[in-house]
């Protein structure tokens, strides 16, 4: 549970040139040239250092062994193969092939492994030998106690699965080291083509010809793929690199030692909807070459607006920002320190940092609880501790709203009438106190019954009555579902809501309390609704399964979301059937006027509190579903409410602290392509003894269908197909991200298009979660 | 491990009318009318009986309580709701509401639960009360020790998730009973619309209006959905009902007590490619009304050809065929027994039954081993038992081919030369014996070294040498990788192949044996290749996870496939990149002429035996991926081979018994839509001590893309998108099944279509299986 004092670190990237120039002008004070450049960098204020692990000599030896020069003869081949086999059987460095050789040199250093290793080469042998080299480099780094290594970017979508398999093997074989995948936000070919923006050796990948004549499968030259990609339009590849990352971390089974090093060298797109997905990923480093900076009017280095904004948003990850070339004099003013000062400025102006550091916000209140899973309270089954009451009583907004609701409700009654309040679940008394204030403000005659079943809190209530409240309040000890109350109430006030509204059994408790509400009485709250949205978060997924108990992935949690991306967008989707980004599941209203009650005035069964919902969400950008975000919104009285709905909470109950959202996890991540649709089913189920939720999701993809005059050919399933009510929205393909209005405007279909409808096809589903309440339930 | 003696059972469906007519003419010999009709049915030769569990009286009471008649007033509503609440709190039948009341009546009876229960109604309350009724019916059936109950067909795709959740709850709450989902192969609306073909009460679903005014969410009338569907074209809904079944069994987590009752009332399509998916499902019953039969020229009842063919194929499931209306005189000739005689005829002419009953076939040899998972042999690590050798020596085809290969190889040598054979891995000597025969046939002078490392088998070899072979054979005891052989061989013969070719380490063993092969010597086999295809099988999935050990889902098994469906089709797919239905992964050739050997003549590392493959499969029909089928094909010499490749085995080595295919399971089922593509990655990896496979898959879907003159709008990812090389193939939509040539011909795009290319979007992936050989490996 880190706090915001742990700010982003700033690191400098030292090149091989830095190190070799230091060796020429070495100061006697330092034992090695590397120690000298590290000390100099620290003196300049950098928090950390990044360096390449290997030298050009290693690259040359590996290439001579493992890549067959064109035009080489059979004897040369055999000689190379003999050297390679000797190396493969016992991989080992020569002294001059590595940049660091001592523990003290490696301290707090992040290493970049050889960038030229093509772990996803088309050629089987290049991949094979790159894997051995990678294992060798990581084994050496681990020997020197290096904590973190950055791997070369994947380059070849066709063989990313092999890249990922190799990384997974390295994670298993090298137990402690953290591996971070370097990844441009775009197609990596952009990075490779513009050497001026790359901070590393941007030399093109070494070409290799087929090597071993004994190999049965035909092998291709390795150089083709990267140069082909240079011609691709970078705008079209916003999802491409994320898709590679997703495959890598999935194949590595979300290993917590695997992170991302986002390379911001290429300029970012102006529409950043597609970038929000990185919020849900494990971003550890941000690579930022000085050449990415532009000069402001005074000549100081600044970043383009989209990059500024993206880096600000990334501050939730507390990344290490790796600057390179800061000392190369790219900009006229400010010198080397201007770059890191600028990054510090971005950090301070990050919305997340600002919210966290401003007192009174829920973000500030929640410091240390971001993305931390808590079991929801079960106040009906468990008697809360006094400290728990105290925490929640700190919420200024919630109780102010309750007071205002009670005050306005009072005004509905004629001033001469004596009004009976019942506080059902008085706890340590905050609502009693607020009720007394409301009565005072209204100048009405009123009396309060305060019901509480927690025997311990009842002692506090007795104390407060004696000290503060006197005869205006009568305390009643017992469960509101069964207790006898001397007279019926006009206004029943309760605070039984959970993060999802009904998840602390407010409906069932208030059913019991209705016995002592007058026929024309009212309830505060008068209604509450549960809301859901699909979310992605590798952090939450890993947290939920950390216990290794499958049940932990079928239990809802209370969580202050941070490294989370809501996957749904606004808009109807191609089918026209999708609702908004966050959708209401169901509502409860109080008082209910059920026709059927038993002799005690209680409902015969709890059937009326069962609920189910089926929600359709539109998914504009590809992502991985890890769970559902649950929110509530309650009407206390009239237009006074409480809400944690992200779009409405600031209008309804800004800075309310009492509730974090609910997180319903899914056992297995579900891949959702761009422009797909997600159907979520959720049930609130009940027996006589317990209440629980079950949840499930199915994914669908729409594709254009051709108008066909022959009905006999129309074989599409009416069960699965949907004729779009809004064909003119015209998202052309699942690949195209369609959240951004400017883009939508452009992609309307040409008038003569044959496409008039969309067909929806199922593409995936989750398991049913928590069937029968087997993993989590709430006791009645 | 059932044998084919357990043939399909034939059951008769007794209607309520049957039972009530029996009660009028009751024979004193029977204690109850039902016992009488059951005895009569058995006397007619039926193996089993199916009856409805409930009567019209129950339907009326439930409807009066739970469905609100239109135009009812408030008092009627309250009265109905009071009765309903009393029922919900204590569900109970009245005597006349059920057809059976005694244990003896229920013996060997399959019951149909109330067909009118709408578990997937649009109305929340109808679903809720249908669930209580279903639980009540199953609880009662279970009380009477009924073993199997058939549930009403799902009708409403929008609420199938709720149907499935209810079925799952029933499976949990009723511990022993088997539940079977009635399902037409088409959209169920077809069934409901044609009452003449339905064997049950085909009355339309009861209409209901909204009932409870206290419910917050708006409720809709329930009758709409089914009547709307009547207008849908049945040809278009071939996948629709399967999709519902898939959702139900997935939500029920592949519960082994959940099966299918396929309703064959509607006529089947003539193109049955789409029907092959049912082979992979758990089909327990087949509903076959007499009205489905047509009359042949003589007036006897027969079935249409597609239905005949489908029922024959279904015999692999050993289903119960439930006949109904057989006594109603639908056909002029043959009487009631003609229907069951005809079904028996279909069973006898089923290809699976014929193959299983014909001696000498692999199907006959494999009786009892269908879909039974066996761990692959590890003959290098484990010394095989004599009984194991004996089983495999029974294979007449394999050894005949080996003899022929050795004979033809011998003929390559000049007849005057003395030829040295080495049998590497002689086992109990079958190849030695065949080699001697080949030598005799060729009239060559030859000598045999027989190497064997199994000390126990070596005793058998010594015995045979003394008794049979004499001085033509020299036995050598030891591992072929390390043993000294007195002279080098001209022909090295081995039988080290596994189901996947290299999976018993033939490459590594033969690497060792190359030391004693002459430079121009040859190996029998000279090469072998591994082949893969994606498969679906709920049976194998359940078998593989039956141990509850996650490792069991990352281990390849040897299996004689039966209830399995190969998901891939021929053809290039929309991307034009897909290969054939079954694809080659890699090949090994012997002898290899490696340039680099150590002083012992052995390879320095095992790198050259690492392999990887990435295969693209086209998936014409929607299905669920459960694993990969692995096969091998070997060239022994020239055109003499061994093959278990399904398309080629009959040409190459018909009736060979020694190998069942390999099954690589996936941990989680992966849903694949119609017209999707599957990319399978598989690796053969090796250390100095072991060899293992890792495997992984990604799924993709292509959709038409619009030709767009503005390149700036072409934002599709070049990493994921593919311009089809064959746009004229023109599968219009993922929903349309495209395996059938006749259909393909029809669906060529109109000339003026704007579609000129396809874009491929990723839709799903599996985990990486068996990383680092953690779950299964083969010891060197």
């Amino acid at each position: 549970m880190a706090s915001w004092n742990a700010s982003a670190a700033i690191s400098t990237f030292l090149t091989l040139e830095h190190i070799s120039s230091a060796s020429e002008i070495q100061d006697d004070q330092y034992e090695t040239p590397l120690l000298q450049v590290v000390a100099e960098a620290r003196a300049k204020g950098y928090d950390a250092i990044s360096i390449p692990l290997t030298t050009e000599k290693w690259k040359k030896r590996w290439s001579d062994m493992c890549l067959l020069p064109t035009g080489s003869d059979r004897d040369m081949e055999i000689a190379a193969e003999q050297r390679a086999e000797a190396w493969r059987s016992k991989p080992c460095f020569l002294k001059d092939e590595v940049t660091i050789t001592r523990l003290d040199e490696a301290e707090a250093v992040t290493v970049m492994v050889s960038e030229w290793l093509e772990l996803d080469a088309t050629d089987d042998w290049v991949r094979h030998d790159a894997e051995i080299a990678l294992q060798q480099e990581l084994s050496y780094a681990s020997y020197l106690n290096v904590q973190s290594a950055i791997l070369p970017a994947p380059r070849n979508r066709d063989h990313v699965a092999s890249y990922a398999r190799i990384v997974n093997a390295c994670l298993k074989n090298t137990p402690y080291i953290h591996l971070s995948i370097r990844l441009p936000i775009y197609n990596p070919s952009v990075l490779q083509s513009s050497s001026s923006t790359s901070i590393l050796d941007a030399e093109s990948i070494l070409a290799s010809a087929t090597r071993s004549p004994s190999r049965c499968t035909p092998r291709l030259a390795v150089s083709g793929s990267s140069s082909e990609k240079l011609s691709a339009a970078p705008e079209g590849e916003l999802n491409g690199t994320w898709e590679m990352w997703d495959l890598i971390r999935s194949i590595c089974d979300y290993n917590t030692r695997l992170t991302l090093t986002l390379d911001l060298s290429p300029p970012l797109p102006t529409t950043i909807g597609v970038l929000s997905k990185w919020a849900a990923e494990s971003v550890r480093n941000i690579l930022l070459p000085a050449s990415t900076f532009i000069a402001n009017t005074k000549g100081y280095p600044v970043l383009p607006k989209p990059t500024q904004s993206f880096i600000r948003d990334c501050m939730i990850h507390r990344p290490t920002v790796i600057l390179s070339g800061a000392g190369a004099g790219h900009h006229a003013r400010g010198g080397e320190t201007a770059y890191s000062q600028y990054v510090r400025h971005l950090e301070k102006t990050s919305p997340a940092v600002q919210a966290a550091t401003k007192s009174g916000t829920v973000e500030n209140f929640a410091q240390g609880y971001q993305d931390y899973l808590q079991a929801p309270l079960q106040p009906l089954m468990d008697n809360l501790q006094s400290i728990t009451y105290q925490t929640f009583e700190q919420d200024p907004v919630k109780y102010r709203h309750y007071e205002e609701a009670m005050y306005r409700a009072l005004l509905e009654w004629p001033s001469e009438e004596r009004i009976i309040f019942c506080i059902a679940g008085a706890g340590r008394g905050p609502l009693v106190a607020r009720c007394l204030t409301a009565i005072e403000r209204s100048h009405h005659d009123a009396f309060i019954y305060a019901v509480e079943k927690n025997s311990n809190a009842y002692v506090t209530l007795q104390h407060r009555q004696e000290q503060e409240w006197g005869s205006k309040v009568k305390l009643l000890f017992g469960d509101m579902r069964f207790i006898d109350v001397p007279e019926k109430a006009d206004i029943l006030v309760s605070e039984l809501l959970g993060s999802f509204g009904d998840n602390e059994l407010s409906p069932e408790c208030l059913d019991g309390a209705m016995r002592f509400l007058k026929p024309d009485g009212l309830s505060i709250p008068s209604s509450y609704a549960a809301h859901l949205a699909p979310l992605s978060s590798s952090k939450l997924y890993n947290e939920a399964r950390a216990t290794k108990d499958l049940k932990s992935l079928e239990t809802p949690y209370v969580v202050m979301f941070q490294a989370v991306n809501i996957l749904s967008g606004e808009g109807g989707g191609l089918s026209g059937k999708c609702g908004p980004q966050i959708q209401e599941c169901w509502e409860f209203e109080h008082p209910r006027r059920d026709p059927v009650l038993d002799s005690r005035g209680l409902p015969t069964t709890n059937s009326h509190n069962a609920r189910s919902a089926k929600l359709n969400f539109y998914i504009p950008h590809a992502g991985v579903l890890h769970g559902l975000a649950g929110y509530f919104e309650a009407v206390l009285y009239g237009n006074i409410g409480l809400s944690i709905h992200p779009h409405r909470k600031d209008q309804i109950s800004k800075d309310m602290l009492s509730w974090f959202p609910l997180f319903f996890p899914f056992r297995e991540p579900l891949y959702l392509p761009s422009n797909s649709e997600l159907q979520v089913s959720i049930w609130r189920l009940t027996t006589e003894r317990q209440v629980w939720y079950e949840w499930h999701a199915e994914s669908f993809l729409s594709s254009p269908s051709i108008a066909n005059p022959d009905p006999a050919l129309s074989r599409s399933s009416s069960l699965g197909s949907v004729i779009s009510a809004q064909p003119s929205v015209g998202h052309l393909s699942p690949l195209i991200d369609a959240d951004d209005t400017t883009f939508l405007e452009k992609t309307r279909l040409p008038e003569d298009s044959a496409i008039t409808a969309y067909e929806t096809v199922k593409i995936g589903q989750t398991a049913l979660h928590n069937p029968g309440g087997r993993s989590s339930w709430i006791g009645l």
Side-chain angles (χ1 to χ4, degrees), chain A:
Chain A
M1 289 191 270
S3 90
W4 271 109
N5 301 329
S7 54
I10 298 184
S11 174
T12 181
F13 181 72
L14 301 177
T15 62
L16 294 174
E17 290 69 36
H18 279 116
I19 299 165
S20 61
S21 63
S23 67
E24 287 159 19
I25 53 156
Q26 198 184 333
D27 186 333
D28 281 348
Q29 166 182 6
Y30 302 103
E31 292 190 47
T32 75
L34 188 58
L35 287 175
Q36 178 175 349
V37 292
V38 166
E40 287 166 2
R42 292 203 181 281
K44 287 176 195 163
Y46 292 110
D47 305 309
I49 314 290
S50 310
I51 58 166
L53 179 65
T54 64
T55 67
E56 287 295 315
K57 292 207 167 94
W58 167 233
K59 180 177 174 180
K60 178 162 191 325
R61 178 157 74 100
W62 186 89
S63 306
D64 288 349
M65 287 189 301
C66 302
L67 303 177
L68 190 67
T70 36
S72 55
D73 63 19
R74 179 80 186 137
D75 287 346
M76 284 173 66
E77 275 176 27
I78 291 175
E81 179 65 12
Q82 277 172 333
R83 287 197 307 277
E85 278 284 279
W87 165 69
R88 286 178 199 127
S89 68
K90 298 272 177 213
C92 177
F93 283 117
L94 302 176
K95 188 178 78 67
D96 288 348
E97 292 171 345
V98 288
T99 54
I100 47 176
T101 54
R102 299 160 47 119
L103 272 174
D104 55 0
E105 289 176 331
E107 234 169 70
V109 155
T110 293
V111 301
M112 306 258 186
V113 305
S114 300
E115 184 66 11
W116 41 269
L117 288 177
E118 271 196 292
L119 303 167
D120 49 1
T122 302
D123 184 282
D124 285 353
W125 274 105
V126 172
R127 284 205 309 276
H128 181 273
D129 289 341
E131 175 174 4
I132 295 175
L134 179 63
Q135 295 269 20
Q136 173 183 347
E137 296 191 16
L138 294 175
S139 162
Y140 182 72
S142 176
Y143 163 74
L144 288 179
N145 204 33
V146 166
Q147 303 295 306
S148 177
I150 297 176
L151 305 192
R155 300 164 171 97
N156 180 359
R157 178 66 180 87
D158 277 349
H159 288 282
V160 172
S162 282
Y163 178 110
R165 186 198 61 69
I166 292 169
V167 173
N168 189 53
C170 289
L171 286 164
K172 295 278 179 296
N173 293 342
T174 319
Y176 301 110
I177 201 164
H178 282 74
L179 302 184
S180 197
I181 307 289
R182 183 182 172 183
L183 200 76
I185 284 186
Y186 283 47
N187 180 344
S189 68
V190 175
L191 185 68
Q192 290 169 29
S193 65
S194 54
S195 57
S196 67
T197 62
S198 170
I199 67 167
L200 299 174
D201 178 359
E203 196 175 299
S204 64
I205 305 312
L206 294 164
S208 77
T210 50
R211 277 186 41 262
S212 169
S214 63
R215 190 79 173 183
C216 303
T217 47
R219 271 177 287 143
L220 302 169
V222 86
S223 59
S225 61
S226 60
S227 59
E228 272 165 32
K229 295 232 178 76
L230 295 183
S231 61
E235 278 292 304
E237 293 165 3
L238 296 170
N239 271 327
T241 56
W242 175 81
E243 193 177 306
M244 293 204 288
W245 161 249
D246 173 60
L247 185 61
I248 295 165
R249 62 95 183 269
S250 297
I251 282 185
C252 295
D253 195 26
Y254 288 71
N255 194 308
T256 52
R257 285 188 289 119
L258 181 71
T259 60
L260 263 173
T261 293
L262 280 181
D263 186 336
L264 296 192
S265 305
L268 295 191
T270 48
T271 53
I272 62 162
V274 68
L275 296 181
S276 60
K277 64 179 55 162
W278 297 107
E281 306 298 344
S282 183
V283 177
R284 187 186 180 103
N285 303 307
I286 291 178
L287 283 187
L288 202 56
S291 56
T292 298
F293 286 75
I294 53 179
N296 69 8
T297 48
K298 295 183 184 166
Y300 286 93
V302 296
L303 286 166
K305 281 227 159 19
T307 310
Q308 284 180 36
S309 166
F310 183 72
I311 290 179
R312 284 196 182 98
D313 291 344
C314 277
M315 288 299 164
I316 59 169
H317 302 294
R318 295 172 177 76
T320 294
V321 177
I322 303 176
L323 292 168
S324 74
H330 280 281
H331 295 83
R333 304 281 294 274
E336 180 166 355
T337 55
Y339 303 96
S340 46
Q341 280 166 2
Y342 185 78
V343 172
R344 290 278 174 229
H345 159 72
L346 293 183
E347 182 181 19
K348 284 196 200 84
T349 54
S350 153
V353 174
Q354 290 189 319
T357 48
K358 183 179 170 194
S359 121
T361 64
V362 62
E363 290 82 359
N364 182 262
F365 176 72
Q367 278 311 298
Y369 284 90
Q370 296 95 341
D371 296 332
Y372 176 76
L373 304 186
Q374 296 175 278
L377 291 175
Q378 292 221 20
L380 187 58
M381 272 175 59
D382 310 324
N383 280 334
L384 299 186
Q385 291 184 283
S386 189
I387 187 89
T388 307
Y389 287 112
Q390 182 169 291
T391 301
F392 289 109
E393 286 169 16
Q394 286 171 28
D395 192 327
V397 179
K398 173 184 166 189
Y399 291 107
R400 194 171 70 230
H401 283 221
Y402 263 103
E403 181 189 317
E404 192 62 19
M406 292 187 282
Y407 170 72
R408 296 208 196 166
L410 270 170
L411 299 184
E412 296 284 319
W413 265 261
S415 56
E416 66 279 10
E417 265 184 41
R418 178 169 178 268
I419 297 155
I420 306 297
F421 275 91
C422 179
I423 312 288
R428 303 200 315 174
L431 283 183
V432 176
R434 290 289 189 164
C435 190
L436 288 167
T437 315
I439 292 166
E440 199 171 343
R441 284 171 60 197
S442 72
H443 306 294
H444 276 56
D445 178 20
F447 186 78
I448 303 173
Y449 292 99
V451 176
E452 178 52 49
K453 62 105 195 165
N454 180 347
S455 51
N456 309 310
Y458 195 68
V459 175
T460 307
L461 284 174
Q462 293 173 61
H463 190 256
R464 288 190 77 176
Q465 189 196 27
E466 193 180 292
Q467 301 286 320
E468 301 173 37
W469 305 331
S471 63
K472 291 174 230 163
V473 177
K474 178 165 175 57
L475 303 181
L476 300 169
F477 174 54
D479 186 317
M480 70 179 81
R481 294 172 296 171
F482 313 114
I483 197 173
D484 285 328
V485 174
E487 58 184 320
K488 290 202 171 185
D490 296 292
I491 303 176
L492 180 75
V493 189
S494 63
E495 51 166 332
L496 306 167
L497 296 175
S499 297
F500 202 49
D502 55 270
N503 64 306
E504 294 181 12
L505 304 188
S506 177
E508 284 77 8
C509 292
L510 292 182
D511 275 349
M514 287 304 128
R515 294 174 299 124
F516 43 84
L517 185 65
K518 290 181 186 168
D520 59 348
L522 58 84
S523 166
I524 295 175
S526 64
S527 70
Y528 37 88
H531 296 259
L532 278 185
L535 69 74
S536 184
S537 171
S538 55
K539 179 83 161 64
L540 294 185
Y541 173 65
N542 263 334
E543 290 286 323
R545 66 183 189 148
T547 61
K548 304 283 178 202
D549 174 4
L550 267 184
K551 285 189 174 184
S552 67
L553 282 160
E554 305 200 39
T555 305
Y557 298 93
V558 169
V559 193
M560 174 66 184
F561 293 145
Q562 183 168 279
V564 160
N565 182 32
I566 299 296
L567 291 167
S568 47
E570 301 289 344
L574 292 187
S575 72
K577 283 169 68 178
C578 297
Q581 185 179 37
I582 298 167
Q583 294 179 35
E584 181 177 322
C585 297
W586 50 65
E587 196 188 13
F588 288 87
E589 285 181 350
H590 301 284
R592 294 173 61 243
R593 315 278 177 199
D594 279 291
V596 180
L597 299 172
D598 67 13
S599 57
R600 298 164 300 170
L602 294 171
T604 311
T605 76
N606 201 27
S607 289
H608 58 282
N609 288 325
R611 289 288 187 279
S612 76
K614 188 160 182 228
L615 309 174
N616 287 328
F617 294 96
Y618 172 55
I619 310 297
H621 304 292
V624 176
L625 178 72
H626 294 113
L628 303 168
Y631 309 100
F632 84 96
E633 188 165 294
V635 175
L636 293 179
Y637 180 79
N639 64 353
I640 310 288
L642 304 175
S643 179
I644 62 167
H645 185 300
H647 299 173
R648 299 203 287 244
K649 62 180 183 180
D650 282 358
Q651 286 83 59
I652 294 173
S653 53
K654 187 169 163 55
D655 292 335
M656 183 169 69
L657 307 176
S658 297
W659 291 275
F660 298 153
L662 213 59
F663 169 56
F664 293 92
F666 283 112
R667 253 159 42 197
E668 297 284 332
L670 182 67
Y671 186 93
L672 298 174
S674 297
N675 263 328
S676 58
E677 297 182 12
L678 186 73
Q679 288 188 359
V680 172
S681 294
I682 184 165
W683 297 268
R684 183 186 204 264
L685 297 163
T686 170
T687 65
E688 298 303 296
R689 287 178 300 279
Q690 53 195 232
V691 170
W692 71 96
Y693 303 99
E694 299 183 19
W695 58 101
H696 176 264
E698 286 183 86
S699 55
F700 297 85
L701 194 55
S702 289
S703 66
S705 100
I706 312 301
N708 199 317
D710 184 354
L713 298 184
S714 165
R715 302 204 334 180
S716 66
S717 164
S718 76
L719 295 173
S721 85
V722 170
I723 303 301
S724 169
Q726 304 163 304
S728 67
V729 173
H731 307 334
L732 296 188
S733 130
L735 270 182
I736 298 177
D737 290 302
D739 211 17
D740 313 317
T741 322
T742 51
F743 178 66
L744 269 186
E745 293 295 324
K746 289 197 215 157
T747 55
R748 287 185 190 281
L749 292 178
E751 292 294 317
D752 60 345
S753 167
I755 293 177
T756 58
Y758 290 88
E759 283 169 317
T760 302
V761 61
K762 171 161 173 174
I763 57 170
Q765 64 199 4
T766 71
L768 177 68
H769 286 68
N770 194 34
R774 70 175 175 197
S775 301
S776 63
W777 46 270
I778 316 144
L780 274 167

